[in-house]
Amino acid sequence: MIPMSLAQVAAAAGGELSATADPEAVVTGGVEYDSRKAGPGGLFLAIPGARADGHDFAAKAHAQGALATIATRPIDTPAIYVDDAVAALTRLARHVAAASKATIIGVTGSNGKTSTKDLIGQLCARLGPTVATEGNFNNELGHPYTVCRVEPDTEFLVLELAARGVGHITELCEIAPPSIGAVLNVGISHLDGFGDIETTARAKSELPRFLAADGAAVLNADDHRVAAMAAHTKAEVLTFGVEAPADFAATEVDPRDGRHAFTLRTPGGAAEVRLGLWGGHHVHNALAAAAVLWRLGADAESIAAGLSEATRKSERRMDVFTRDDGTTVIDDSYNANPASMGAAVRALGQLPTEGRRIAVLGLMADLEALEASCHRRLGEQAREAGVDEVIAVGEGTEPIVEGATGGNTHHSPDGADGVTATHVPDQAAAIALLRTRLRPGDAVLVKGSRYRTWDVADHLRAKEETDQ
């Protein structure tokens, strides 16, 4: 964090120092809400939880060197007392962002946010000290936590902006106002919060609407809802795309073995890119990152080099590895929505393999009235991608089988185009089925919303040999 005295922290966070806290002590470390990570010169954020109360670990954090705990009830160690810990962290983050010299970059979209943020973070780090959201820690706690990691020499702050309703992105932007904002796409996701795709689009448009006239809005020309946001921003508009005319385009796209190659075309010239990331959806992610980096002053050659050298940074996202029995696994199990599920089964279809292609697919959550139709369409996409076998896991995934088999009953071992599709009640049953079905040379995709296929992925990882 930017060095501040405890008195300054208390003022910024809207709290009061305890009698045991030294107001002149300077905070030189970060703010941590996990006591195991609390260290010398830092702060500990005590959050009451369902299973544990952070206040019970304040003494441990202090023993490890934390100067004070941001607390909401009396404790025996130095403290900054506040009414609400997360609200206090938010106020502190707003202060840090205002004091920082870093260029702030925001990334949002229905899917691809984390991968694109990781790409931008890696490319920015080639230009100067960079802080980026860890994983998809993009909510009301993760966002200010990330902002507070900024240090005096930080040049770039890359933030993933998530929303489950209208107004959420604006709230995050107000904490750390971005000067560059990228909107990747608008899709069917979190309908429990948004209600419909048009409301989703309105929520995502909050990022370009927030940008100042001297900023830049990076918009997907291939998504008509995103492209329309150009009319609602004061900032310079930079477009990216593969199909529609765009400022940053990919031509001569070659899927190769699933790690795509293409010619990157920018307003300043062209260069060749050979991605190390799996899946065709990363082409759009790379173009968005290219637009951001070009706006920061990088040229086409350096951008292409950075994209070609970029690696996967976040867990359970297109993590491709080979087990010691010769089975190739695509662990994309972190989360799922219709767009990312479709991209994942297409990636499985493109993966070179001597055996069969098997997709283990869990529920896509928060689809409300569209749940059955979206899962049925997923089954159809798996069949169209050339998947040989589909295992649908858990309640609500039965329509995947219907789509994969062309409407045949799930009791039929083979459906349309020779696809085998089976519905199982839970992950334990999926693991048991895989034990009987997997053969050396097969390729397996594991994907579902959040934890719904994590046990399957972890079972397959237990015999992991090498990352690809």
Side-chain angles (χ1 to χ4, degrees):
M1 197 174 77
I2 293 174
M4 300 170 62
S5 69
L6 284 183
Q8 291 172 322
V9 171
E16 295 184 3
L17 287 175
S18 67
T20 55
D22 177 3
E24 301 302 320
V26 177
V27 177
T28 57
V31 183
E32 298 291 348
Y33 60 91
D34 183 339
S35 62
R36 293 169 296 184
K37 296 181 180 180
L43 297 170
F44 176 57
L45 185 72
I47 302 176
R51 291 181 294 180
D53 186 340
H55 295 84
D56 296 335
F57 300 90
K60 175 184 176 183
H62 180 65
Q64 293 170 185
L67 293 180
T69 293
I70 299 175
T72 57
R73 65 173 173 81
I75 56 175
D76 295 331
T77 53
I80 299 172
Y81 290 118
V82 299
D83 292 332
D84 182 293
V86 175
L89 180 66
T90 298
R91 290 189 289 269
L92 179 59
R94 188 177 286 112
H95 177 89
V96 169
S100 171
K101 67 176 184 179
T103 297
I104 302 175
I105 301 153
V107 182
T108 195
S110 295
N111 56 278
K113 294 186 296 296
T114 300
S115 296
T116 304
K117 172 267 303 177
D118 287 343
L119 280 173
I120 295 171
Q122 291 179 73
L123 268 64
C124 283
R126 297 164 69 97
L127 302 180
T130 299
V131 170
T133 305
E134 295 179 348
N136 74 330
F137 207 27
N138 53 26
N139 60 12
E140 64 276 5
L141 172 60
H143 186 79
Y145 170 82
T146 301
V147 175
C148 285
R149 290 171 49 212
V150 166
E151 298 183 351
D153 66 343
T154 300
E155 294 185 23
F156 305 101
L157 174 59
V158 186
L159 297 169
E160 179 178 338
L161 308 179
R164 296 185 68 90
V166 172
H168 290 177
I169 289 177
T170 297
E171 291 174 3
L172 297 180
C173 287
E174 288 173 342
I175 296 171
S179 59
I180 302 175
V183 184
L184 306 179
N185 43 57
V186 174
I188 299 172
S189 64
H190 299 311
L191 294 187
D192 58 330
F194 292 122
D196 56 52
I197 195 168
E198 298 305 330
T199 304
T200 304
R202 187 162 71 253
K204 301 302 181 185
S205 74
E206 292 172 19
L207 176 53
R209 288 175 188 271
F210 188 91
L211 298 171
D214 60 352
V218 175
L219 304 178
N220 185 353
D222 291 337
D223 186 317
H224 71 275
R225 292 183 176 87
V226 176
M229 296 176 191
H232 303 290
T233 184
K234 300 182 293 291
E236 175 189 8
V237 173
L238 301 174
T239 59
F240 65 93
V242 177
E243 304 296 333
D247 299 317
F248 297 82
T251 61
E252 296 88 46
V253 179
D254 181 356
R256 299 197 179 185
D257 61 354
R259 292 175 286 196
H260 287 53
F262 60 90
T263 300
L264 169 65
R265 301 195 179 277
T266 79
E272 300 304 312
V273 175
R274 174 69 159 93
L275 293 175
L277 303 174
W278 291 87
H281 55 293
H282 284 303
V283 174
H284 275 89
N285 297 344
L287 292 175
V292 170
L293 268 292
W294 187 85
R295 185 59 160 73
L296 293 174
D299 59 28
E301 288 291 343
S302 63
I303 293 170
L307 290 172
S308 298
E309 295 171 12
T311 59
R312 179 185 59 82
K313 290 295 183 182
S314 298
E315 295 182 347
R316 299 186 187 275
R317 290 176 175 84
M318 294 306 291
D319 180 6
V320 182
F321 59 88
T322 301
R323 305 193 325 164
D324 56 10
D325 63 0
T327 303
T328 299
V329 178
I330 303 176
D331 179 0
D332 198 35
S333 62
Y334 187 81
N335 212 347
N337 59 36
S340 66
M341 272 286 205
V345 296
R346 287 191 293 273
L348 175 62
Q350 293 172 340
L351 186 72
T353 180
E354 297 177 357
R356 298 162 303 149
R357 294 179 173 87
I358 301 171
V360 182
L361 306 175
L363 184 76
M364 295 182 286
D366 304 330
L367 296 179
E368 301 297 306
L370 297 180
E371 181 176 297
S373 61
C374 286
H375 285 88
R376 187 175 299 106
R377 177 58 187 145
L378 173 59
E380 295 169 352
Q381 289 174 312
R383 186 177 75 240
E384 293 162 0
V387 173
D388 299 296
E389 181 168 354
V390 172
I391 301 173
V393 184
E395 183 179 355
T397 63
E398 293 87 349
I400 298 176
V401 173
E402 297 171 15
T405 60
N408 292 344
T409 173
H410 67 277
H411 295 297
S412 174
D414 294 290
D417 303 323
V419 179
T420 300
T422 308
H423 177 263
V424 295
D426 52 34
Q427 294 188 68
I431 292 169
L433 183 58
L434 283 172
R435 286 195 178 106
T436 68
R437 299 292 294 169
L438 279 183
R439 297 194 295 264
D442 288 347
V444 186
L445 165 69
V446 184
K447 189 168 179 63
S449 284
R450 293 289 180 164
Y451 54 84
R452 291 173 175 85
T453 54
W454 288 5
D455 291 349
V456 177
D458 291 345
H459 166 75
L460 293 171
R461 187 174 294 280
K463 294 187 177 181
E464 175 182 342
E465 184 179 74
T466 56
D467 284 335
Q468 296 194 17

